[in-house]
Amino acid sequence: MLMLRRNPCLSCGACCAYFRVSFYWSECNPELGGLVPVELVEDISPFVRAMKGTNQLKPHCAALIGQVREAVQCSIYEARS
């Protein structure tokens, strides 16, 4: 019998609640094909941006919804960096 395991990365959320989520600036530039909503990012340097809330001492991504390690989802999953 084939057993399918649930991917914990689709419900845990620990990475998005404990680490900075940073990426190249063009990933939120619609003119260049970027999909990440610009209102959910902040500048880290001229070339790097991060999801709001993740560049803190106690990070928590602004796009993360739910209770970490129990049931979470990314509100911009299809457009994330």
Side-chain angles (χ1 to χ4, degrees), residues 5 27-28 31 49-50 56 62 66 71 75 79:
R5 293 183 188 187
E27 292 184 62
C28 67
E31 292 87 29
R49 292 185 176 165
Q56 311 295 320
S75 65

Side-chain angles (χ1 to χ4, degrees), residues 8-80:
C9 293
L10 299 177
S11 61
C12 175
C15 292
C16 297
Y18 295 100
F19 299 103
R20 183 174 77 186
V21 179
S22 56
F23 47 90
Y24 192 62
W25 68 273
S26 66
E27 292 184 62
C28 67
N29 186 325
E31 292 87 29
L32 298 175
L35 299 175
V36 179
V38 71
E39 63 273 7
L40 291 178
V41 302
E42 61 181 279
D43 291 338
I44 301 299
S45 76
F47 302 103
V48 177
R49 292 185 176 165
M51 294 300 294
K52 281 188 179 173
T54 66
N55 194 34
Q56 311 295 320
L57 287 176
K58 293 184 177 185
H60 193 279
C61 183
L64 189 63
I65 305 169
Q67 185 65 36
V68 176
R69 297 187 194 270
E70 291 181 21
V72 296
Q73 66 182 29
C74 176
S75 65
I76 63 162
Y77 187 81
E78 297 300 323
R80 68 196 160 118

